[in-house]
Structures are given as structure tokens and as C-alpha cells.
Amino acid sequence: MTERIKMNNLTVKLSGKTVLEGITFSVSSGELTGIIGPNGAGKTTLLRVMLGLLQVQQGELTIFGLPVSRINEVRSMIGYMPQRQSFERRFPLSAADVVATGLLSPQTLFRRLPGKKEKVRMALSSVGMEHYYNRSFQDLSGGEQQRILLGRSLVRQPRLLLLDEPNANLDFPAQQSFVELLQGLKEKEDLTIILVSHDLVSIAPVADKLVCINRTMHIHGRPAEVLHSPHLDEAYRCQFDLLSTTGDKERCWH
Amino acid sequence: MLALSEILDYSFMQRALLAALLVGILCSTISFFVILKRLSFLGAGISHTALGGIALGMVTGLNPVFTGSIFAVGTAMSTGHISRAGKISEDTVIGIFYSSGMALGIALISSFKGYHPELFSLLFGNILAVSVQDLIIMGIVLAGVIFFVIVFFKELLTICFDEEMALAGGLPVGPIYMTLLAVMGLTVMVSIQIVGVVLVSALIVIPGAIAYRISVNYRGMLAISLAVGLTGSFGGLFGSYYYPVPPGAAIVLILAAIFAIVMVGKALLEKYG
């Protein structure tokens, strides 16, 4: 399988302070990789680095085989869904308007968006929200809004999808439904997905690989290896059993 | 009461009506983005800082609108730049510019000798004193703002919705946002002539705030913002013609009254509707 992302001994500093150090892992095409770690571990920072929004001070990062400094050449192949709290819930847009914002790029400046309606309909359909085209975004439930935002990140038909805490603030049924949707997308669209979450229970069942960080690299590998590793307790600074809602490590990822 | 045709016989009223139209459109358009991007406090900051620039122009003999514009645009863009660098929060930066600009204005004004009626106009505005030259400046600023908004509307809307997503999509967020701030600074500056330093922020906040409360889509919000802004401008102007209230205050009072009616109406609708 082709490597979509490769990191080697990555160090990131913000305002002179080291926030990520010694991060090394790779993501192959078609994989769903979960980046886990406690709050403040640097997970979102790592995603922002992958998007070229933050600079790498040391180490190597390649995306689609290109150094991150040339990310603009492959940006159209990347879909991104930020954390939900970053936008205003009452923003006066329809579901279709929200999805259409995902079509904008430097190439669309001073231009109309060709085939906009069709692309938006396809994206909405891929997340099971085709009947929500004209619905007001502010009237949707948290789970529905997440689906619309996922549709937005898919509208350019990316090959790599970066999701930041997509399950945060959703109730359990909405979380499950979202996870099932991701699984379907991964299989149907041959997408490479990187999903950031602090919630092991929701991420472990769908991930092909888990990467556990807390400022530095703690462990990465198949979910079974990661969940049984003592490095996990070390990263979360507590007993992992306490993190599982079922109290049963095995059941949370089988 | 005088009929409309009689009012229009006065050239100062003709100019005032045109100014109300230009500033009404200008402020309502900017208000749409001010509310969506949560820049209300910046509006107040820009206007108070502009006082320093205007006073500097009066002391040095330069055109006060020109020096005020430099201060207004400089404040808006500096605030955006410093807060985006992430070192100091936006409200702290605005608070510092706000008080410093005002202090400079007061210091310079206190050095004036004699009576300067234009100072009173600066603080509280005087739409009836608008000259043809002022109208030309307003028209140029309005044309520039409309051009910018039309060309970059979809990008501006996306940046207001979520800057992070816009950045991740590769949009030139920094330059577009900075231009929006510059345009906001110019809007505040030309509107100071109508309602003054003290009240100008109401013009760029209230129309959008009302529209935001009652709109479900951005097209409706923009249309309502324009309708409210123009109602306030014309209503205030005519109101001050018939009643002994300064036009600037009348404009803001009408906007505030519409806001109150909308809030109460919406609350009643939610409760009993």
C-alpha cells in the first residue's frame, strides 16, 4: 500500500515552547488511523501540522510523497473537519451552503463554482443527508450537523480525510451512527482517514491503527497492541481500565 | 408639517438624504460581517481611535478625514494582525488602542484655542453639514466596499463561518480578513460625519444584529440588515427634521427601538407562537 503520510521524528514548537516531540509514524492508503491521547496532548496541533497550518521545526513530514512545505500542490486531495465548537451554531447557512464552502480554494478565487449544485448533492448523499439540502444548518441536531460537516469535507472528493474530534459532544447513538458512516465511507470511497479523538471507546472499534501521543510519541500499532500496552496508561497518566465505559478492554474494540 | 417635496427644496437636506442613503448601505453591508465575525467591539475601538487621527489632522492642518482614516484603518489592521499572531487577545488590543487614541484626541483638542464647532460635530455627528466633497468620499468608499464584498463574498462568508476550515482549504484568509478590517475602518471613518465618534459603532452593529436574530439564511440576513440600516438612516434624518433631536442620536435611537421591538416580538413568538 502507498504511504499517504509519513512522519519522522517530528518536533513542533509554538511560541518557543515544544508541544510535540519525536513523533514518528506513517499512514498507508485506505487505512483509518486514530490519533489518541488525553486532552492537551497535542492531537489537534498534529492535525494542523499535517494541514500545513503550523510549521515543523525538526524532522520530516511528507504528504502524498511531497514535503509538507509543498502541501498546496496536494491540498485539493485533503478533506478536513475541525472541532465543532470552532463555529457558531446559529450561523445563517443552509446545509447546502455549508457543504459548498468546502469547494472554495485558491483556484476558485474570482470565479463561480462550476457544477456546485451537483457536487453538493453528491456530498450530502454520501453522508445520507440528501434530503437536507435546503434545511437551515442552525435547526439541525448535533449529529446531523456533524454529518453535514463531514459532507463538507468530502465535497472535493479527497483521498485523505482529517477529522478532529468528530464524536465530541454527541450522544452515544449519534456517535455510533457516525462511526458506522465512517466505516462505510472508508470501504466505498477507498479513503485514507485520520481521526483524532480522546475517546478510546468510540475510536478503537473502527481504527486499523492507533497512534497514542501525549506531547511525545507513546505507542502506535494495531488497536489490540496499543490497548494492551502499558505505554497507554503512561500516556493517559491513569489506568486504562478506568477509561473504558464497559470496563472491558477487549469488548471495546472487538 | 412640511411635505417631502418642500424638504427637498433645501440643498442641505438633499445632501443629507444622499448621505443617509450612502451610509445606510455602507454600514448595513459591513454590519453583516461585523456580526458574523463578532467584530462589534472592534467597531467601537476604531471610532474612538479615529478621534486621535481627526484631532491630529486639525492640529497639523491636514485633512482630518484623511488622518482619521489612517488611524481607523491602522487600528483595525493592527488589531487583526496582533490578535492573529496569538500573543495578545483581540479585546485587550482593542482596549489599548481605544483608550490611547481617545487620550491622544483629548490631549490635542485641549490644546486648541477658541471655539471649534466642528469638534462638537465630530463627537456627535452632523448629517446636515455634509458637503459635496464628503458625499464624493462616501460614494468612493461605498463603491470600493461593494466591489470588495461582491468579488470576495463567498470567501468572506466562509472565513466568518470557520476560519480554520478556510485556511485548511488554502484560501488566502489573512489578506482577505485584513482587507475586511481596512474596509471596516474606512466605513467607520466616513460614518463619523453622520453620527459622530460616540455613536458610530451602533450603525455597524445594530442592523446586522437585528438581521441575525430573525434570519435563517445569509441572503435574508443581508437584505434585512440593509432594510434596517436604511430605515434608521432615513427615519432618523426625517425625525430630526420634525422634532428637536440631533440627527445622529435620532438614527441610533430608531435602530435601538427596532432592535428592542424585534427582541420582544421574537420572545413573544417563541412563548406563544
Side-chain angles (χ1 to χ4, degrees):
Chain A
M1 282 196 285
T2 331
E3 272 177 347
R4 293 294 193 218
I5 289 191
K6 194 176 174 187
M7 290 181 204
N8 186 19
N9 206 20
L10 211 67
T11 296
V12 179
K13 290 180 184 177
L14 292 178
S15 308
K17 231 169 87 177
T18 304
V19 289
L20 286 172
E21 197 171 16
I23 308 290
T24 302
F25 70 92
S26 61
V27 178
S28 299
S29 69
E31 274 184 349
L32 193 157
T33 301
I35 298 177
I36 56 171
N39 289 337
K43 304 184 294 294
T44 298
T45 303
L46 189 57
L47 269 197
R48 299 190 84 225
V49 169
M50 290 183 220
L51 286 161
L53 302 180
L54 293 174
Q55 280 197 329
V56 173
Q57 269 71 38
Q58 257 178 46
E60 280 176 83
L61 168 59
T62 60
I63 299 176
F64 292 103
L66 292 175
V68 71
S69 55
R70 290 172 62 189
I71 193 161
N72 283 340
E73 295 172 39
V74 291
R75 208 178 272 285
S76 62
M77 293 198 276
I78 303 172
Y80 172 54
M81 181 174 157
Q83 291 190 42
R84 241 176 91 222
Q85 58 264 37
S86 66
F87 62 84
E88 169 64 45
R89 258 188 77 95
R90 282 200 77 255
F91 207 90
L93 291 179
S94 68
D97 294 330
V98 170
V99 174
T101 63
L103 287 168
L104 300 186
S105 71
Q107 288 74 41
T108 62
L109 283 171
F110 313 110
R111 288 180 195 168
R112 286 180 173 272
L113 301 171
K116 179 178 123 180
K117 276 191 177 172
E118 192 50 38
K119 286 174 186 168
V120 169
R121 277 190 203 286
M122 273 174 61
L124 283 172
S125 164
S126 68
V127 293
M129 301 294 280
E130 55 271 39
H131 302 304
Y132 286 67
Y133 191 92
N134 287 318
R135 285 278 297 276
S136 175
F137 187 68
Q138 58 186 253
D139 293 340
L140 305 181
S141 69
E144 289 167 339
Q145 286 191 338
Q146 285 301 77
R147 280 178 174 251
I148 298 298
L149 290 172
L150 182 63
R152 182 201 175 278
S153 62
L154 291 169
V155 72
R156 282 202 275 184
Q157 296 185 303
R159 305 315 318 145
L160 172 66
L161 192 58
L162 306 178
L163 310 172
D164 194 359
E165 301 275 9
N167 272 346
N169 306 318
L170 294 186
D171 58 23
F172 190 65
Q175 280 189 18
Q176 276 205 312
S177 152
F178 193 82
V179 161
E180 281 164 18
L181 176 65
L182 281 183
Q183 271 180 314
L185 279 173
K186 190 187 127 204
E187 283 155 24
K188 211 165 65 184
E189 314 273 341
D190 188 31
L191 266 176
T192 305
I193 302 174
I194 296 181
L195 193 159
V196 157
S197 179
H198 66 275
D199 181 7
L200 279 168
V201 179
S202 68
I203 198 172
V206 284
D208 298 305
K209 274 202 304 199
L210 288 179
V211 177
C212 179
I213 63 167
N214 189 359
R215 302 283 172 194
T216 182
M217 189 85 186
H218 281 262
I219 183 169
H220 79 288
R222 305 242 152 245
E225 296 160 16
V226 173
L227 294 178
H228 285 104
S229 166
H231 295 297
L232 194 66
D233 300 347
E234 199 182 289
Y236 277 83
R237 296 198 183 97
C238 64
Q239 288 290 305
F240 174 64
D241 281 346
L242 296 175
L243 295 166
S244 164
T245 53
T246 60
D248 181 345
K249 278 192 272 191
E250 301 296 317
R251 274 172 52 198
C252 68
W253 55 271
H254 276 307
Chain B
M1 278 191 186
L2 288 170
L4 182 65
S5 59
E6 290 173 75
I7 292 171
L8 288 174
D9 285 343
Y10 299 106
S11 61
F12 72 90
M13 274 306 279
Q14 291 168 4
R15 290 195 300 273
L17 278 169
L18 197 51
L21 176 72
L22 295 174
V23 168
I25 297 172
L26 189 58
C27 290
S28 312
T29 308
I30 288 300
S31 182
F32 174 81
F33 296 105
V34 164
I35 295 301
L36 290 182
K37 194 70 186 128
R38 299 177 181 186
L39 297 170
S40 305
F41 187 39
L42 181 58
I46 294 170
S47 61
H48 286 75
T49 315
L51 181 69
I54 294 166
L56 191 67
M58 293 171 88
V59 167
T60 56
L62 293 167
N63 184 338
V65 176
F66 173 70
T67 49
S69 297
I70 290 175
F71 268 58
V73 173
T75 301
M77 294 181 78
S78 306
T79 303
H81 180 73
I82 295 169
S83 60
R84 283 170 70 80
K87 300 230 159 83
I88 311 173
S89 70
E90 194 166 272
D91 57 343
T92 306
V93 181
I94 296 168
I96 293 166
F97 276 124
Y98 186 121
S99 45
S100 312
M102 196 80 186
L104 177 67
I106 293 166
L108 291 171
I109 287 167
S110 66
S111 69
F112 292 172
K113 289 192 174 70
Y115 175 64
H116 289 267
E118 66 271 30
L119 284 177
F120 195 77
S121 294
L122 275 176
L123 286 175
F124 303 110
N126 190 358
I127 195 169
L128 301 175
V130 165
S131 66
V132 173
Q133 191 194 348
D134 295 332
L135 287 174
I136 292 169
I137 293 171
M138 284 174 198
I140 292 169
V141 172
L142 177 63
V145 169
I146 297 296
F147 176 77
F148 169 67
V149 168
I150 288 175
V151 171
F152 293 106
F153 189 79
K154 56 186 190 308
E155 286 79 16
L156 284 166
L157 201 60
T158 303
I159 292 167
C160 291
F161 179 58
D162 193 309
E163 209 173 304
E164 182 91 350
M165 285 199 274
L167 278 168
L171 290 180
V173 172
I176 293 176
Y177 182 58
M178 284 299 170
T179 310
L180 175 66
L181 294 182
V183 154
M184 190 178 156
L186 286 175
T187 300
V188 167
M189 190 52 223
V190 296
S191 308
I192 281 175
Q193 291 164 284
I194 309 299
V195 289
V197 167
V198 180
L199 300 176
V200 71
S201 63
L203 275 188
I204 60 162
V205 172
I206 300 179
I210 292 169
Y212 185 71
R213 291 274 141 209
I214 53 177
S215 309
V216 289
N217 65 60
Y218 67 86
R219 295 170 192 89
M221 182 177 165
L222 191 53
I224 293 171
S225 182
L226 276 166
V228 169
L230 289 172
T231 305
S233 300
F234 287 122
L237 181 58
F238 285 116
S240 70
Y241 193 86
Y242 293 117
Y243 302 100
V245 181
I251 291 170
V252 176
L253 283 173
I254 286 178
L255 290 175
I258 299 172
F259 183 78
I261 291 165
V262 166
M263 290 297 286
V264 172
K266 202 167 178 236
L268 289 174
L269 256 178
E270 279 166 6
K271 199 171 178 187
Y272 303 108

